[in-house]
Amino acid sequence: MQHWTLCEILRIAQFNDVTQLNYIDAHAMAPLAKQRAPQKVHQGSGVFTRAQTRLPGQESTYENAWHVLAPTASCGYPSSANFVQHIWRSNLSMLLCEQDAGIMEEIEAWRITRLDGQRRSLCEVHCGDWRERFGKGLPHLQNIGQSEKALTFLSFDPNKYSTDGQPGEDDFDLYPLDLEYLVESLSSLEGSVLIQLSTYDRGRQNQYPQQEVIQSVNGILGQLADYTPSVVLRADGNMMSLICTRKVRWWGELSELPPRFNKWLRQC
């Protein structure tokens, strides 16, 4: 679900003549992961396996890219950044945050060997918690080869969004305090912003009901000027992806994604 949504957002943005992308991933992963993280295995895993064995399947933007990047299961599974660099055709800068030092080394090797000269120089890999890197200030567009016409795309893929509690050491969850921090970080960032927050509650049933999560996210991010409430894609009662925007003129087209995703899911 996360990457189907990611790929469709990129497709829509390019269709609307967005030519500059500033991609920021708070939870990067290995460029080609060989094993799915246990916390990401859920009741939708069967859909994932079927889609993988049928590539390019329905020939969606997602499946076509997946088929090129990792045509067989033995190749591993592409990261978000890997999908982005493959699909995005024009100016691209990236900030990739990863806590695991070993995975960070894989990302750095991918940056050096896979990205071309300009993209390589405009890709920053941060080893550590995303909160630490955001605390230093998000990159100013003019310093990374972009203008105010760029779209800043922030991706958050925590284990889950918890409507209570607060961040702890090496915490892979996301909390309201984190979104408050994000609002502050974005206050000095120019241009349009799109945030994709994918969350999976694998705790007790309905520990964090989806509607409570949606209300919390919209309530906090609503402090952003020109904020548009979330478009929500749901894979099941636990797993969903929220798309939140600021100053994105084509945000209305994103509202078409939930029924399209549901149709894609039914046909898998």
Side-chain angles (χ1 to χ4, degrees):
M1 180 194 67
Q2 176 199 359
H3 288 145
W4 185 95
T5 304
L6 167 73
C7 294
E8 286 300 309
I9 291 171
L10 297 176
R11 180 189 63 80
I12 293 172
Q14 291 183 111
F15 179 79
N16 282 275
D17 298 322
V18 178
T19 59
Q20 302 176 64
L21 180 66
N22 176 31
Y23 179 73
I24 301 174
D25 197 331
H27 305 94
M29 57 182 269
L32 287 170
K34 299 299 183 181
Q35 182 177 359
R36 302 181 72 200
Q39 68 269 23
K40 298 298 182 183
V41 177
H42 52 84
Q43 65 189 57
S45 297
V47 174
F48 176 91
T49 301
R50 289 194 298 275
Q52 186 176 49
T53 56
R54 297 172 185 174
L55 291 176
Q58 302 174 49
E59 298 192 357
S60 62
T61 305
Y62 167 53
E63 289 162 297
N64 282 330
W66 185 2
H67 185 53
V68 172
L69 294 169
T72 65
S74 62
C75 296
Y77 182 73
S79 66
S80 298
N82 213 347
F83 277 110
V84 170
Q85 67 82 23
H86 176 75
I87 293 172
W88 196 257
R89 297 188 296 268
S90 49
N91 294 357
L92 174 64
S93 58
M94 291 192 284
L95 168 57
L96 309 176
C97 301
E98 173 55 53
Q99 292 195 47
D100 186 287
I103 294 177
M104 185 276 293
E105 290 179 0
E106 291 185 49
I107 297 172
E108 178 62 17
W110 170 84
R111 183 189 72 85
I112 294 171
T113 60
R114 183 66 181 84
L115 302 183
D116 62 26
Q118 183 181 38
R119 288 189 170 190
R120 185 186 311 127
S121 64
L122 294 178
C123 177
E124 176 188 347
V125 181
H126 171 74
C127 184
D129 190 279
W130 68 270
R131 301 170 181 91
E132 174 187 287
R133 176 59 186 83
F134 279 38
K136 299 177 182 178
L138 295 178
H140 289 287
L141 295 174
Q142 63 269 26
N143 295 335
I144 52 174
Q146 308 282 26
S147 73
E148 291 186 5
K149 295 181 180 180
L151 170 67
T152 294
F153 186 151
L154 296 108
S155 174
F156 290 87
D157 181 31
N159 289 344
K160 63 180 178 295
Y161 179 84
S162 303
T163 56
D164 53 11
Q166 58 185 2
E169 185 176 357
D170 297 325
D171 202 325
F172 291 91
D173 288 350
L174 200 67
Y175 300 90
L177 280 177
D178 290 326
L179 292 190
E180 295 278 3
Y181 187 42
L182 179 60
V183 169
E184 181 180 349
S185 299
L186 290 173
S187 61
S188 60
L189 189 69
E190 317 94 314
S192 56
V193 173
L194 186 149
I195 303 165
Q196 182 184 0
L197 167 57
S198 300
T199 174
Y200 176 59
D201 179 7
R202 64 187 298 270
R204 65 180 184 272
Q205 186 66 25
N206 295 323
Q207 181 179 10
Y208 300 105
Q210 290 183 341
Q211 195 55 41
E212 289 186 13
V213 170
I214 295 166
Q215 290 174 352
S216 174
V217 170
N218 282 332
I220 296 170
L221 294 183
Q223 300 173 64
L224 293 169
D226 301 307
Y227 174 75
T228 305
S230 303
V231 171
V232 183
L233 290 83
R234 308 173 196 251
D236 51 42
N238 288 321
M239 190 175 189
M240 66 178 176
S241 198
L242 283 68
I243 310 171
C244 315
T245 62
R246 182 195 78 178
K247 297 182 180 179
V248 174
R249 60 179 177 79
W250 38 270
W251 63 268
E253 296 182 43
L254 300 172
S255 64
E256 301 171 4
L257 292 181
R260 290 188 52 235
F261 173 72
N262 292 337
K263 180 180 179 181
W264 178 83
L265 195 61
R266 289 194 301 270
Q267 294 177 353
C268 279

Coordinates of all heavy atoms in Angstrom, one line a residue, residues 54-126:
R54 N 3.3 -12.1 -9.7 CA 2.6 -11.7 -11.0 C 3.2 -10.5 -11.7 O 2.7 -10.0 -12.7 CB 1.2 -11.5 -10.7 CG 0.4 -12.7 -10.2 CD -1.0 -12.4 -9.8 NE -1.7 -13.5 -9.2 CZ -2.9 -13.4 -8.6 NH1 -3.5 -12.3 -8.6 NH2 -3.4 -14.5 -8.0
L55 N 4.3 -10.0 -11.2 CA 4.9 -8.8 -11.8 C 5.1 -8.9 -13.3 O 5.5 -10.0 -13.8 CB 6.2 -8.4 -11.2 CG 6.2 -8.0 -9.7 CD1 7.6 -7.8 -9.2 CD2 5.4 -6.7 -9.6
P56 N 4.8 -7.9 -14.1 CA 4.3 -6.6 -13.7 C 2.7 -6.5 -13.4 O 2.2 -5.4 -13.3 CB 4.6 -5.7 -14.9 CG 4.5 -6.6 -16.1 CD 5.0 -7.9 -15.6
G57 N 2.1 -7.6 -13.3 CA 0.7 -7.7 -12.9 C -0.2 -6.8 -13.6 O -0.4 -6.9 -14.9
Q58 N -0.8 -5.9 -12.9 CA -1.8 -5.0 -13.5 C -1.1 -3.8 -14.2 O -1.8 -2.9 -14.7 CB -2.8 -4.5 -12.4 CG -3.5 -5.6 -11.7 CD -4.4 -5.0 -10.6 OE1 -5.1 -4.1 -10.7 NE2 -4.2 -5.7 -9.4
E59 N 0.2 -3.8 -14.2 CA 1.0 -2.8 -14.9 C 0.7 -1.4 -14.4 O 0.7 -0.4 -15.1 CB 0.8 -2.9 -16.4 CG 1.3 -4.2 -17.0 CD 1.4 -4.2 -18.5 OE1 1.0 -3.2 -19.1 OE2 1.8 -5.2 -19.0
S60 N 0.5 -1.3 -13.1 CA 0.4 0.0 -12.4 C 1.8 0.6 -12.4 O 2.8 -0.1 -12.7 CB -0.1 -0.2 -11.0 OG 0.8 -0.9 -10.2
T61 N 1.9 1.9 -12.1 CA 3.2 2.6 -12.0 C 4.0 1.8 -11.0 O 5.2 1.6 -11.2 CB 3.0 4.0 -11.5 OG1 2.1 4.7 -12.4 CG2 4.3 4.7 -11.5
Y62 N 3.4 1.4 -9.9 CA 4.1 0.7 -8.8 C 4.7 -0.7 -9.3 O 5.9 -1.0 -9.2 CB 3.2 0.5 -7.7 CG 3.6 -0.5 -6.6 CD1 4.8 -0.5 -6.0 CD2 2.7 -1.5 -6.2 CE1 5.1 -1.4 -5.0 CE2 3.0 -2.4 -5.2 CZ 4.2 -2.3 -4.6 OH 4.6 -3.2 -3.6
E63 N 3.8 -1.5 -10.0 CA 4.2 -2.8 -10.4 C 5.3 -2.8 -11.5 O 6.2 -3.6 -11.5 CB 3.0 -3.6 -10.8 CG 2.1 -4.0 -9.7 CD 0.7 -4.4 -10.2 OE1 0.0 -3.5 -10.7 OE2 0.4 -5.6 -10.0
N64 N 5.1 -1.8 -12.4 CA 6.1 -1.7 -13.5 C 7.5 -1.3 -12.9 O 8.5 -1.9 -13.3 CB 5.7 -0.6 -14.5 CG 4.6 -1.2 -15.4 OD1 4.6 -2.3 -15.8 ND2 3.7 -0.3 -15.9
A65 N 7.5 -0.4 -12.0 CA 8.8 0.0 -11.3 C 9.4 -1.1 -10.5 O 10.6 -1.4 -10.6 CB 8.6 1.2 -10.5
W66 N 8.5 -1.8 -9.8 CA 9.0 -3.0 -9.0 C 9.6 -4.0 -9.9 O 10.6 -4.6 -9.6 CB 7.8 -3.5 -8.2 CG 8.0 -4.6 -7.2 CD1 9.2 -5.2 -6.9 CD2 7.0 -5.3 -6.5 NE1 9.0 -6.2 -6.0 CE2 7.6 -6.2 -5.7 CE3 5.6 -5.1 -6.3 CZ2 6.9 -7.1 -4.8 CZ3 4.9 -5.9 -5.5 CH2 5.6 -6.9 -4.7
H67 N 8.9 -4.3 -11.0 CA 9.4 -5.3 -11.9 C 10.8 -5.0 -12.5 O 11.6 -5.9 -12.7 CB 8.4 -5.5 -13.1 CG 8.7 -6.6 -14.0 ND1 8.9 -7.9 -13.6 CD2 8.8 -6.6 -15.4 CE1 9.2 -8.6 -14.7 NE2 9.2 -7.9 -15.7
V68 N 11.0 -3.7 -12.7 CA 12.4 -3.3 -13.3 C 13.4 -3.4 -12.2 O 14.5 -3.9 -12.4 CB 12.3 -1.9 -13.9 CG1 13.7 -1.4 -14.2 CG2 11.4 -1.9 -15.1
L69 N 13.1 -2.9 -11.0 CA 14.0 -2.8 -9.9 C 14.4 -4.1 -9.2 O 15.5 -4.4 -8.8 CB 13.5 -1.8 -8.8 CG 13.4 -0.3 -9.3 CD1 12.6 0.5 -8.2 CD2 14.8 0.3 -9.5
A70 N 13.4 -5.0 -9.2 CA 13.5 -6.3 -8.5 C 12.6 -7.3 -9.2 O 11.6 -7.7 -8.6 CB 13.2 -6.2 -7.0
P71 N 13.0 -7.8 -10.4 CA 12.1 -8.7 -11.1 C 11.8 -10.0 -10.5 O 10.8 -10.6 -10.8 CB 12.8 -8.9 -12.5 CG 14.3 -8.5 -12.1 CD 14.2 -7.5 -11.1
T72 N 12.6 -10.5 -9.6 CA 12.4 -11.7 -8.8 C 12.5 -11.5 -7.4 O 13.2 -10.6 -6.9 CB 13.3 -12.8 -9.3 OG1 14.7 -12.5 -8.9 CG2 13.3 -13.0 -10.8
A73 N 11.9 -12.4 -6.6 CA 11.9 -12.3 -5.1 C 13.4 -12.3 -4.6 O 13.7 -11.7 -3.6 CB 11.1 -13.4 -4.5
S74 N 14.2 -13.0 -5.3 CA 15.6 -13.2 -4.8 C 16.4 -11.9 -4.9 O 17.4 -11.7 -4.3 CB 16.3 -14.2 -5.6 OG 16.4 -13.9 -7.0
C75 N 15.9 -10.9 -5.7 CA 16.5 -9.6 -5.8 C 16.3 -8.7 -4.6 O 17.1 -7.8 -4.4 CB 16.0 -8.8 -7.0 SG 16.3 -9.6 -8.6
G76 N 15.3 -9.1 -3.7 CA 15.0 -8.2 -2.6 C 13.8 -7.4 -3.0 O 13.1 -7.5 -4.0
Y77 N 13.5 -6.4 -2.1 CA 12.4 -5.5 -2.3 C 12.9 -4.1 -2.3 O 13.6 -3.7 -1.4 CB 11.3 -5.7 -1.3 CG 10.1 -4.8 -1.5 CD1 9.2 -5.1 -2.6 CD2 9.9 -3.7 -0.7 CE1 8.1 -4.3 -2.8 CE2 8.8 -2.9 -0.9 CZ 7.9 -3.2 -2.0 OH 6.8 -2.4 -2.2
P78 N 12.5 -3.2 -3.3 CA 13.0 -1.9 -3.4 C 12.5 -1.0 -2.2 O 11.4 -1.1 -1.8 CB 12.5 -1.4 -4.7 CG 12.1 -2.6 -5.5 CD 11.6 -3.6 -4.4
S79 N 13.4 -0.1 -1.9 CA 13.1 1.0 -0.9 C 12.3 2.1 -1.5 O 12.2 2.2 -2.8 CB 14.3 1.5 -0.2 OG 15.1 2.2 -1.2
S80 N 11.7 3.0 -0.7 CA 11.0 4.1 -1.2 C 11.9 5.0 -2.1 O 11.5 5.4 -3.2 CB 10.4 5.0 -0.1 OG 9.5 4.2 0.7
A81 N 13.1 5.2 -1.6 CA 14.1 6.0 -2.4 C 14.4 5.4 -3.7 O 14.6 6.1 -4.7 CB 15.4 6.3 -1.6
N82 N 14.5 4.1 -3.8 CA 14.8 3.4 -5.0 C 13.6 3.6 -6.0 O 13.8 3.8 -7.2 CB 15.0 1.9 -4.7 CG 16.0 1.2 -5.7 OD1 16.4 1.8 -6.7 ND2 16.4 0.1 -5.3
F83 N 12.4 3.5 -5.5 CA 11.2 3.8 -6.4 C 11.3 5.2 -6.9 O 11.0 5.5 -8.0 CB 9.9 3.5 -5.6 CG 9.5 2.1 -5.6 CD1 9.5 1.4 -4.4 CD2 9.0 1.4 -6.7 CE1 9.1 0.0 -4.3 CE2 8.6 0.1 -6.7 CZ 8.6 -0.6 -5.5
V84 N 11.6 6.1 -6.0 CA 11.6 7.5 -6.3 C 12.6 7.8 -7.4 O 12.3 8.4 -8.5 CB 11.9 8.4 -5.1 CG1 12.1 9.9 -5.5 CG2 10.7 8.4 -4.1
Q85 N 13.9 7.3 -7.3 CA 14.9 7.6 -8.2 C 14.6 7.0 -9.6 O 15.0 7.5 -10.6 CB 16.3 7.2 -7.7 CG 16.5 5.7 -7.6 CD 16.8 5.0 -8.9 OE1 17.3 5.6 -9.8 NE2 16.5 3.7 -9.0
H86 N 13.8 5.9 -9.6 CA 13.5 5.2 -10.8 C 12.4 6.0 -11.6 O 12.4 6.1 -12.8 CB 13.1 3.8 -10.6 CG 12.6 3.1 -11.8 ND1 13.5 2.6 -12.8 CD2 11.4 2.7 -12.2 CE1 12.8 2.0 -13.7 NE2 11.5 2.1 -13.4
I87 N 11.4 6.4 -10.8 CA 10.2 7.0 -11.5 C 10.4 8.5 -11.8 O 9.9 8.9 -12.8 CB 9.0 6.8 -10.5 CG1 8.6 5.3 -10.4 CG2 7.7 7.6 -11.0 CD1 7.6 5.0 -9.4
W88 N 11.1 9.2 -10.9 CA 11.2 10.7 -11.1 C 12.1 11.0 -12.2 O 13.3 10.6 -12.2 CB 11.6 11.3 -9.8 CG 11.3 12.8 -9.9 CD1 12.2 13.8 -10.1 CD2 10.1 13.4 -9.8 NE1 11.6 15.0 -10.1 CE2 10.3 14.8 -9.9 CE3 8.8 13.0 -9.6 CZ2 9.2 15.8 -9.9 CZ3 7.7 13.9 -9.5 CH2 8.0 15.3 -9.6
R89 N 11.7 11.7 -13.2 CA 12.4 11.9 -14.5 C 13.3 13.2 -14.4 O 14.2 13.3 -15.3 CB 11.5 12.0 -15.7 CG 10.7 10.7 -15.9 CD 10.0 10.8 -17.2 NE 9.0 11.8 -17.2 CZ 7.7 11.6 -16.9 NH1 7.3 10.4 -16.5 NH2 6.8 12.6 -16.9
S90 N 13.0 14.2 -13.6 CA 13.7 15.4 -13.6 C 14.4 15.7 -12.3 O 14.9 14.8 -11.6 CB 12.8 16.5 -14.0 OG 11.6 16.5 -13.2
N91 N 14.6 17.0 -12.0 CA 15.4 17.4 -10.8 C 15.0 16.7 -9.5 O 13.8 16.7 -9.2 CB 15.3 18.9 -10.6 CG 16.0 19.7 -11.8 OD1 16.5 19.1 -12.7 ND2 15.9 21.0 -11.7
L92 N 16.0 16.1 -8.9 CA 15.7 15.4 -7.7 C 16.8 15.6 -6.6 O 18.0 15.4 -6.9 CB 15.6 13.9 -8.0 CG 15.5 12.9 -6.8 CD1 14.1 13.1 -6.1 CD2 15.6 11.5 -7.3
S93 N 16.4 15.9 -5.4 CA 17.3 15.9 -4.2 C 16.6 15.0 -3.2 O 15.4 14.9 -3.1 CB 17.5 17.3 -3.7 OG 16.2 17.9 -3.3
M94 N 17.5 14.4 -2.3 CA 16.9 13.5 -1.3 C 17.7 13.6 0.0 O 18.9 13.9 0.0 CB 17.1 12.0 -1.8 CG 16.2 11.7 -3.0 SD 16.1 9.9 -3.3 CE 17.6 9.6 -4.2
L95 N 16.9 13.4 1.1 CA 17.5 13.3 2.4 C 16.9 12.0 3.0 O 15.7 11.9 3.2 CB 17.1 14.5 3.3 CG 17.3 14.4 4.8 CD1 18.8 14.1 5.1 CD2 16.8 15.6 5.5
L96 N 17.8 11.1 3.2 CA 17.4 9.7 3.7 C 17.9 9.5 5.1 O 19.2 9.5 5.3 CB 18.0 8.7 2.7 CG 17.7 8.9 1.2 CD1 18.4 7.8 0.4 CD2 16.2 9.0 1.0
C97 N 17.0 9.3 6.0 CA 17.4 9.1 7.4 C 17.3 7.6 7.8 O 16.2 7.0 7.5 CB 16.5 9.9 8.4 SG 16.6 11.7 8.1
E98 N 18.3 7.0 8.4 CA 18.2 5.6 8.7 C 19.0 5.4 10.0 O 20.1 5.8 10.2 CB 18.9 4.8 7.6 CG 19.1 3.3 8.0 CD 17.8 2.6 8.4 OE1 16.8 2.7 7.7 OE2 17.8 2.0 9.5
Q99 N 18.4 4.7 11.0 CA 19.0 4.5 12.3 C 20.0 3.4 12.3 O 21.0 3.4 13.1 CB 17.9 4.2 13.4 CG 17.0 5.4 13.7 CD 16.2 5.1 15.0 OE1 16.8 4.7 16.0 NE2 15.0 5.4 14.9
D100 N 19.8 2.4 11.5 CA 20.7 1.2 11.5 C 22.0 1.5 10.7 O 21.9 1.8 9.5 CB 19.9 0.0 10.9 CG 20.7 -1.3 11.0 OD1 21.7 -1.4 10.2 OD2 20.4 -2.2 11.8
A101 N 23.1 1.4 11.4 CA 24.4 1.7 10.7 C 24.7 0.8 9.5 O 25.2 1.3 8.5 CB 25.5 1.7 11.7
G102 N 24.4 -0.5 9.7 CA 24.6 -1.4 8.6 C 23.8 -1.1 7.3 O 24.3 -1.1 6.2
I103 N 22.5 -0.8 7.6 CA 21.6 -0.4 6.5 C 22.1 0.9 5.9 O 22.0 1.1 4.6 CB 20.2 -0.3 6.9 CG1 19.7 -1.7 7.3 CG2 19.3 0.2 5.8 CD1 18.3 -1.8 7.9
M104 N 22.5 1.9 6.7 CA 23.0 3.1 6.2 C 24.1 3.0 5.3 O 24.2 3.7 4.3 CB 23.4 4.0 7.4 CG 23.8 5.5 7.0 SD 25.5 5.6 6.5 CE 26.4 5.2 8.1
E105 N 25.0 2.0 5.6 CA 26.2 1.8 4.7 C 25.7 1.2 3.3 O 26.2 1.6 2.3 CB 27.1 0.8 5.3 CG 27.9 1.3 6.5 CD 28.8 0.3 7.2 OE1 28.8 -0.8 6.7 OE2 29.4 0.7 8.2
E106 N 24.6 0.4 3.3 CA 24.0 -0.1 2.1 C 23.5 1.1 1.3 O 23.6 1.2 0.0 CB 23.0 -1.1 2.3 CG 23.5 -2.4 2.9 CD 22.3 -3.4 3.0 OE1 21.6 -3.6 2.1 OE2 22.2 -4.0 4.1
I107 N 22.8 2.0 2.0 CA 22.2 3.2 1.3 C 23.3 4.1 0.7 O 23.2 4.5 -0.4 CB 21.3 4.0 2.3 CG1 20.2 3.2 2.8 CG2 20.8 5.3 1.6 CD1 19.4 3.8 3.9
E108 N 24.4 4.2 1.4 CA 25.5 5.1 1.0 C 26.1 4.4 -0.3 O 26.5 5.2 -1.2 CB 26.5 5.3 2.1 CG 27.7 6.1 1.7 CD 27.4 7.5 1.3 OE1 26.3 8.0 1.6 OE2 28.3 8.1 0.6
A109 N 26.3 3.1 -0.2 CA 26.9 2.4 -1.4 C 26.0 2.6 -2.6 O 26.4 2.8 -3.7 CB 27.1 1.0 -1.1
W110 N 24.6 2.5 -2.4 CA 23.7 2.7 -3.5 C 23.7 4.1 -4.0 O 23.7 4.3 -5.2 CB 22.3 2.4 -2.9 CG 21.1 2.7 -3.8 CD1 20.6 2.0 -4.8 CD2 20.3 3.9 -3.7 NE1 19.5 2.6 -5.3 CE2 19.3 3.8 -4.7 CE3 20.3 5.0 -2.9 CZ2 18.3 4.8 -4.9 CZ3 19.4 6.0 -3.0 CH2 18.4 5.9 -4.0
R111 N 23.9 5.1 -3.1 CA 24.0 6.5 -3.5 C 25.1 6.7 -4.5 O 25.0 7.3 -5.5 CB 24.1 7.4 -2.3 CG 24.2 8.9 -2.7 CD 24.5 9.7 -1.4 NE 25.9 9.6 -1.1 CZ 26.9 10.3 -1.7 NH1 26.7 11.2 -2.6 NH2 28.2 10.1 -1.3
I112 N 26.3 6.1 -4.1 CA 27.5 6.2 -4.9 C 27.4 5.5 -6.2 O 27.9 6.0 -7.3 CB 28.7 5.8 -4.1 CG1 28.9 6.7 -2.9 CG2 30.0 5.8 -4.9 CD1 29.9 6.2 -1.9
T113 N 26.9 4.3 -6.2 CA 27.0 3.5 -7.4 C 25.7 3.6 -8.3 O 25.8 3.4 -9.5 CB 27.1 2.0 -7.0 OG1 26.0 1.6 -6.2 CG2 28.4 1.8 -6.3
R114 N 24.6 3.9 -7.8 CA 23.4 3.9 -8.5 C 22.9 5.3 -9.1 O 22.4 5.4 -10.1 CB 22.2 3.3 -7.7 CG 20.9 3.1 -8.4 CD 21.0 2.1 -9.6 NE 19.8 2.0 -10.3 CZ 19.4 2.8 -11.3 NH1 20.1 3.8 -11.7 NH2 18.2 2.6 -11.9
L115 N 23.2 6.3 -8.3 CA 22.7 7.6 -8.7 C 23.8 8.3 -9.6 O 25.0 8.1 -9.4 CB 22.5 8.5 -7.4 CG 21.5 8.0 -6.4 CD1 21.3 9.0 -5.3 CD2 20.1 7.6 -7.1
D116 N 23.3 9.1 -10.5 CA 24.2 9.8 -11.4 C 24.8 11.0 -10.7 O 24.5 11.3 -9.5 CB 23.5 10.2 -12.7 CG 22.4 11.2 -12.5 OD1 22.4 11.9 -11.5 OD2 21.5 11.3 -13.3
G117 N 25.7 11.7 -11.3 CA 26.5 12.8 -10.7 C 25.7 13.8 -9.9 O 25.9 14.0 -8.7
Q118 N 24.7 14.4 -10.5 CA 24.0 15.5 -9.9 C 23.1 14.9 -8.8 O 23.1 15.4 -7.6 CB 23.1 16.3 -10.8 CG 22.3 17.4 -10.2 CD 21.5 18.2 -11.2 OE1 20.9 17.6 -12.0 NE2 21.4 19.5 -11.0
R119 N 22.4 13.8 -9.0 CA 21.6 13.2 -8.0 C 22.4 12.7 -6.9 O 22.0 12.8 -5.7 CB 20.7 12.1 -8.6 CG 19.6 12.6 -9.5 CD 18.7 11.5 -9.9 NE 17.5 12.0 -10.6 CZ 16.4 11.3 -10.9 NH1 16.4 10.0 -10.6 NH2 15.4 11.9 -11.5
R120 N 23.6 12.2 -7.2 CA 24.4 11.7 -6.1 C 24.8 12.8 -5.2 O 24.8 12.7 -3.9 CB 25.7 11.1 -6.7 CG 26.6 10.4 -5.7 CD 27.9 9.9 -6.4 NE 27.6 9.2 -7.6 CZ 28.1 9.4 -8.8 NH1 29.0 10.5 -8.9 NH2 27.8 8.7 -9.8
S121 N 25.2 14.0 -5.7 CA 25.7 15.1 -4.9 C 24.5 15.7 -4.1 O 24.8 16.4 -3.1 CB 26.3 16.1 -5.8 OG 25.4 16.7 -6.7
L122 N 23.3 15.5 -4.6 CA 22.1 16.1 -3.9 C 21.4 15.1 -3.1 O 20.2 15.4 -2.7 CB 21.2 16.7 -5.0 CG 21.7 17.9 -5.7 CD1 20.7 18.4 -6.8 CD2 22.1 19.1 -4.8
C123 N 22.0 14.0 -2.8 CA 21.4 13.0 -1.9 C 22.2 12.9 -0.6 O 23.4 12.6 -0.6 CB 21.4 11.6 -2.6 SG 20.8 10.3 -1.5
E124 N 21.6 13.3 0.5 CA 22.2 13.2 1.8 C 21.7 12.0 2.6 O 20.5 11.8 2.6 CB 21.9 14.5 2.6 CG 22.4 14.5 4.1 CD 22.0 15.6 4.9 OE1 21.4 16.6 4.4 OE2 22.1 15.5 6.1
V125 N 22.6 11.2 3.1 CA 22.3 10.1 3.9 C 22.6 10.4 5.4 O 23.8 10.7 5.7 CB 23.0 8.8 3.5 CG1 22.6 7.6 4.3 CG2 22.7 8.6 2.0
H126 N 21.6 10.3 6.3 CA 21.8 10.6 7.7 C 21.7 9.4 8.5 O 20.7 8.7 8.4 CB 20.8 11.7 8.2 CG 20.9 11.8 9.7 ND1 21.9 12.5 10.3 CD2 20.0 11.4 10.7 CE1 21.7 12.5 11.6 NE2 20.6 11.9 11.9

